[in-house]
Amino acid sequence: MNGFYSLWSAPYFLKKRDAGFVMQDYELITLLLSVAAFEKYNGKTRLYADRKALEYVQERDLGQIFSRGVCEMQVPEDIDPAVFWAGGKLVALQMEELPSVMIDTDLIIWEDLGPWLQDKQIAVIHREELREQIYPEPSSFAMKEGYAFPKEWDFSVRPANTAMLYLKDPAFRDVYVREALRFMRGIQPTNDNLCPMVFAEQRILPTCAQAKGIEVSAFCEQIEQLREQHRFTHIWGHKNVLKFNMDERRSFITRCLIRLQKEFPDMYGIASAMEEFEEYR
Amino acid sequence: MGKLFAWLDRNRKETVREYDNRINRLQAFHAGYAFLSLLNYSPELSAFSAYAVWNGEFNEKLETPMPQGGFMLHCGMERAQEMCERPDGFPIFVKLCAKQGRLAVERMFLADADRIFDFYFNGCEVIPPERLGLVFAGARVPENAHREEYAHETGAAQQSGGSYRKLSAGGSYQKQTVTAGSYRGFGMGSYRKGFGSGSYSGSSDTKGSYPFGRSFGGFGTGSYRQGSYWQGTYWLGSYWHGSYWRGSYQAGAFRSLWMSSYFAGSYAQARFGIGSYAGGSFRVFFGQQGSFASGSFRRNVFFAGSYRESLFRRGSFWKNGSGIAFLMECAETLIPAENVVCDEKASTCEDRSAAYCHARIIEEMGYGLDLI
């Protein structure tokens, strides 16, 4: 089972216009661990990166960790990175050969997903509740003239979290990505960087699937079930703590390095040569 | 701007490694204040959730600026009560570190006389202390500050019992601001009316350097000149600090916010790329939030549904003999939705006093971290 990651630098540069693209040490070590674990338990990985992220990857010689290499992607300029900050994932998905698993850079998969995925068309990590604050009525989006939601879409379908997304059918992938990008282009300029994004990524997916009569499988139907499972590590909001708490960050990085050293020695060799982890040698 | 902490910049002749070494050898220094309230204390955990106010110049030099909320310190109940009796905040000392030329806070302490407390970020929620406005109004004046300026700020503080609406009544801002098109005009008018006498000496600098500011929020900075956004309302903002939002918040959404009677702090949204939200920041300044708590802003996926976020920036500039000295900046704070009205009446606060210590939702804490 192949997998892929994506790095889109445009959202990063909205905040740091003068600096080059840089991954924080905790982000980097998570990615190393994620790639190492996926390649051990599942299959080969590839990274899709836009030009500036690619420069960073090449400069740091990070391409070597992805056994299927690194590809440059070009996210259309009319996709607003401030609103659709995860838009790069969809562009990468469009480029990827299916079947494949789309993996967030802060997600680690600790098990072979093959047996579970073998009879699936679409699989996600968990379903989400239709909370009004996050998933408002689609009619509340101010859309440009000419845009209309397909009539066959049923908005009562629960959204699907795509921190991990398995897709098998290229035809469905094309529909999903096309509709998601159409929505991104069709929305009026907005400051809301949550609802439109999760709609495009996580609500259009199951909605399209239902319209096509395809089942979306989920490892967990309820998010709370993720507290008691052994397949996934998702750093998610804990990144906020890692960002501002240096003790916690060091502890986290140390744990990751120890895990690499014990289980993924090749990747540990790469990590320990990086200047970000110099103090941990 | 940039004078007090310029030494945190990398010198031209300094290599990255030399810079890192220099920074890593620095001793801890004073970089902000922590404000404590029993509303933010949990006797069960012997823990305070603290509200931090950072020196803005310092904060801006960090690779990732520190937030206002999310900090915690531990102490017993007796000590907690003592600490809350001190309204002017506890100095936060920071020990910096640098990696590859990027500046971060290595460790933080609260210090007061002989007492030192570890202070750390864990993402906990915080209710901004009610008296913060009073504190800022009067307690942070440099020794050489202009007395008249100080008097104005005190005047502002004394208005803390009133509602914001009342303070801003009169609407004289708008005419002066809009018709004159000059900031100076804006700074007069109802500013005097609302906050006592005194002239606010606005600068017409729109370059984002901090033309001026009032301790309670600063009446605008350069960009009000961009004009019509502010028409029809007053501008209460914290913004003196142009660089945070310069050029990036010119969205239509602001208009509706500003046209309302309340200020929402929404300009800060631009910097963080968030939606429109009316936050409760005024309670910080005036001890009440009234009807500000509305809106549906979520900062990002992780906090969605569980928090409302009050974003605002404020600056305190005080005129002194050598120019304008920058003091503080508030970056952001997180307020749980269920606590939005918490501190309006003391009687309703008690049962929520430790609400910030709630079981973290999974979006905040991630999952499977123990599997590493």
Side-chain angles (χ1 to χ4, degrees):
Chain A
M1 181 64 59
N2 288 336
F4 69 98
Y5 300 80
S6 60
L7 286 177
W8 184 29
S9 66
Y12 175 91
F13 284 107
L14 291 174
K15 295 177 181 175
K16 301 183 180 181
R17 298 177 188 200
D18 301 328
F21 179 79
V22 169
M23 291 181 76
Q24 296 289 326
D25 49 8
Y26 60 88
E27 296 171 324
L28 192 53
I29 197 69
T30 307
L31 179 62
L32 294 179
L33 195 49
S34 177
V35 172
F38 193 87
E39 298 230 347
K40 175 176 178 178
Y41 297 114
N42 286 282
K44 296 183 174 179
T45 59
R46 174 177 288 160
L47 173 71
Y48 294 90
D50 69 346
R51 169 51 52 188
K52 289 180 177 174
L54 198 59
E55 287 171 3
Y56 170 78
V57 168
Q58 289 169 342
E59 181 187 320
R60 308 310 319 281
D61 200 18
L62 270 178
Q64 60 176 317
I65 71 173
F66 302 96
S67 56
R68 290 196 294 135
V70 180
C71 287
E72 182 175 354
M73 67 175 180
Q74 288 184 322
V75 180
E77 290 185 358
D78 55 358
I79 303 301
D80 183 352
V83 179
F84 298 105
W85 37 269
K89 287 169 65 177
L90 292 165
V91 174
L93 177 61
Q94 185 64 64
M95 296 173 70
E96 174 72 352
E97 297 164 20
L98 300 185
S100 186
V101 180
M102 182 171 77
I103 314 157
D104 277 6
T105 54
D106 64 343
L107 180 80
I108 305 168
I109 301 171
W110 298 110
E111 282 185 5
D112 178 9
L113 302 178
W116 188 76
L117 293 176
Q118 62 182 359
D119 57 345
K120 307 288 190 298
Q121 287 287 319
I122 306 170
V124 296
I125 201 160
H126 62 87
R127 301 303 289 260
E128 298 201 348
E129 298 302 323
L130 271 172
R131 288 185 291 188
E132 179 65 22
Q133 304 95 322
I134 304 172
Y135 297 104
E137 279 298 312
S139 57
S140 67
F141 293 123
M143 305 304 296
K144 292 175 183 168
E145 197 174 329
Y147 181 92
F149 295 110
K151 290 178 181 173
E152 64 270 25
W153 281 6
D154 176 2
F155 291 116
S156 67
V157 177
R158 288 172 66 198
N161 186 287
T162 56
M164 186 225 73
L165 169 64
Y166 166 78
L167 283 183
K168 188 174 184 178
D169 180 9
F172 174 76
R173 180 265 315 273
D174 294 344
V175 171
Y176 164 49
V177 173
R178 186 184 66 234
E179 285 299 332
L181 294 178
R182 191 172 74 89
F183 173 79
M184 292 178 184
R185 292 177 172 122
I187 196 167
Q188 298 274 13
T190 174
N191 289 328
D192 184 348
N193 72 345
L194 174 64
C195 298
M197 180 67 247
V198 293
F199 181 87
E201 187 185 3
Q202 304 195 145
R203 200 164 177 186
I204 286 180
L205 171 74
T207 308
C208 278
Q210 198 208 33
K212 297 285 180 189
I214 305 172
E215 183 189 0
V216 177
S217 302
F219 283 93
C220 301
E221 284 300 317
Q222 304 294 332
I223 191 172
E224 289 302 315
Q225 294 173 330
L226 289 163
R227 293 184 192 271
E228 301 291 337
Q229 51 82 37
H230 302 283
R231 282 196 177 109
F232 306 105
T233 294
H234 193 185
I235 311 302
W236 213 347
H238 189 62
K239 287 195 290 282
N240 246 358
V241 176
L242 298 176
K243 196 185 297 179
F244 298 116
N245 187 325
M246 209 54 72
D247 284 342
E248 184 64 28
R249 187 191 294 199
R250 288 213 177 88
S251 168
F252 174 81
I253 291 173
T254 301
R255 280 165 53 204
C256 291
L257 284 168
I258 290 171
R259 183 67 183 261
L260 283 177
Q261 190 174 26
K262 283 183 177 175
E263 195 173 342
F264 313 103
D266 291 344
M267 192 67 86
Y268 176 75
I270 294 170
S272 60
M274 292 180 168
E275 59 182 6
E276 281 86 350
F277 309 114
E278 191 177 10
E279 63 182 290
Y280 300 91
R281 287 173 197 157
Chain B
M1 184 80 178
K3 292 177 181 175
L4 300 178
F5 286 95
W7 51 276
L8 290 178
D9 293 332
R10 203 177 118 203
N11 300 329
R12 286 182 185 176
K13 294 179 180 177
E14 203 171 30
T15 65
V16 171
R17 190 167 286 274
E18 286 169 343
Y19 174 75
D20 288 354
N21 285 337
R22 177 167 67 86
I23 295 297
N24 291 334
R25 289 192 174 101
L26 284 177
Q27 300 215 349
F29 60 91
H30 177 206
Y33 289 89
F35 290 83
L36 306 172
S37 162
L38 286 179
L39 290 175
N40 287 320
Y41 184 75
S42 166
E44 292 82 7
L45 300 175
S46 295
F48 262 120
S49 174
Y51 182 84
V53 178
W54 300 99
N55 180 297
E57 183 196 352
F58 157 78
N59 210 21
E60 201 182 36
K61 292 186 185 300
L62 299 177
E63 169 75 5
T64 307
M66 302 291 275
Q68 276 176 287
F71 298 95
M72 183 165 275
L73 74 150
H74 294 272
C75 67
M77 187 63 194
E78 197 171 317
R79 178 58 58 88
Q81 286 175 329
E82 280 178 36
M83 294 172 88
C84 289
E85 286 168 4
R86 178 170 166 168
D88 55 346
F90 275 75
I92 304 173
F93 286 79
V94 298
K95 171 79 179 76
L96 292 181
C97 63
K99 286 177 75 172
Q100 286 92 48
R102 297 193 290 272
L103 206 56
V105 172
E106 166 80 33
R107 198 168 291 278
M108 294 173 283
F109 313 90
L110 288 195
D112 179 47
D114 60 335
R115 295 177 294 180
I116 292 178
F117 302 89
D118 281 332
F119 190 61
Y120 64 97
F121 183 90
N122 72 349
C124 59
E125 300 164 14
V126 62
I127 304 166
E130 294 174 337
R131 297 180 64 191
L132 194 59
L134 295 176
V135 169
F136 276 111
R140 295 287 165 230
V141 185
E143 289 180 3
N144 57 348
H146 196 288
R147 285 189 62 82
E148 191 176 357
E149 287 289 309
Y150 182 90
H152 297 333
E153 303 309 329
T154 304
Q158 289 168 352
Q159 293 287 343
S160 60
S163 71
Y164 181 69
R165 183 188 291 273
K166 180 180 176 184
L167 287 169
S168 61
S172 56
Y173 292 0
Q174 64 182 79
K175 289 183 180 177
Q176 294 190 25
T177 303
V178 175
T179 57
S182 84
Y183 182 64
R184 186 173 295 276
F186 169 78
M188 312 298 259
S190 60
Y191 171 77
R192 284 172 182 257
K193 190 171 184 176
F195 304 103
S197 63
S199 60
Y200 131 69
S201 54
S203 154
S204 59
D205 180 2
T206 61
K207 299 295 184 185
S209 50
Y210 64 82
F212 50 81
R214 307 304 302 187
S215 74
F216 102 178
F219 283 84
T221 60
S223 54
Y224 64 88
R225 285 219 254 166
Q226 291 170 356
S228 53
Y229 289 111
W230 323 116
Q231 185 170 8
T233 185
Y234 46 84
W235 176 11
L236 173 73
S238 339
Y239 301 93
W240 32 272
H241 205 306
S243 62
Y244 279 104
W245 50 288
R246 178 176 45 195
S248 60
Y249 73 99
Q250 302 168 18
F254 283 93
R255 180 186 293 271
S256 60
L257 285 170
W258 293 106
M259 289 298 284
S260 73
S261 298
Y262 316 113
F263 163 65
S266 57
Y267 55 79
Q269 293 167 351
R271 181 178 187 246
F272 291 100
I274 57 183
S276 61
Y277 157 71
S281 60
F282 286 114
R283 97 178 126 177
V284 173
F285 300 107
F286 300 112
Q288 72 173 53
Q289 61 183 15
S291 53
F292 288 103
S294 64
S296 60
F297 153 64
R298 280 94 36 195
R299 184 179 176 194
N300 57 32
V301 176
F302 311 128
F303 292 98
S306 148
Y307 287 96
R308 285 187 184 178
E309 188 160 343
S310 161
L311 287 187
F312 65 96
R313 294 189 174 275
R314 74 186 288 276
S316 300
F317 293 91
W318 301 82
K319 282 204 159 188
N320 58 28
S322 61
I324 300 173
F326 169 78
L327 290 178
M328 293 294 172
E329 169 197 339
C330 295
E332 62 184 22
T333 186
L334 299 175
I335 306 170
E338 62 270 29
N339 282 337
V340 164
V341 296
C342 175
D343 58 350
E344 274 196 330
K345 296 179 181 177
S347 61
T348 64
C349 291
E350 195 171 347
D351 59 344
R352 306 183 193 198
S353 60
Y356 71 92
C357 291
H358 72 135
R360 312 289 299 281
I361 60 171
I362 205 162
E363 291 92 332
E364 293 173 272
M365 59 184 289
Y367 51 84
L369 294 173
D370 57 327
L371 301 177
I372 295 174

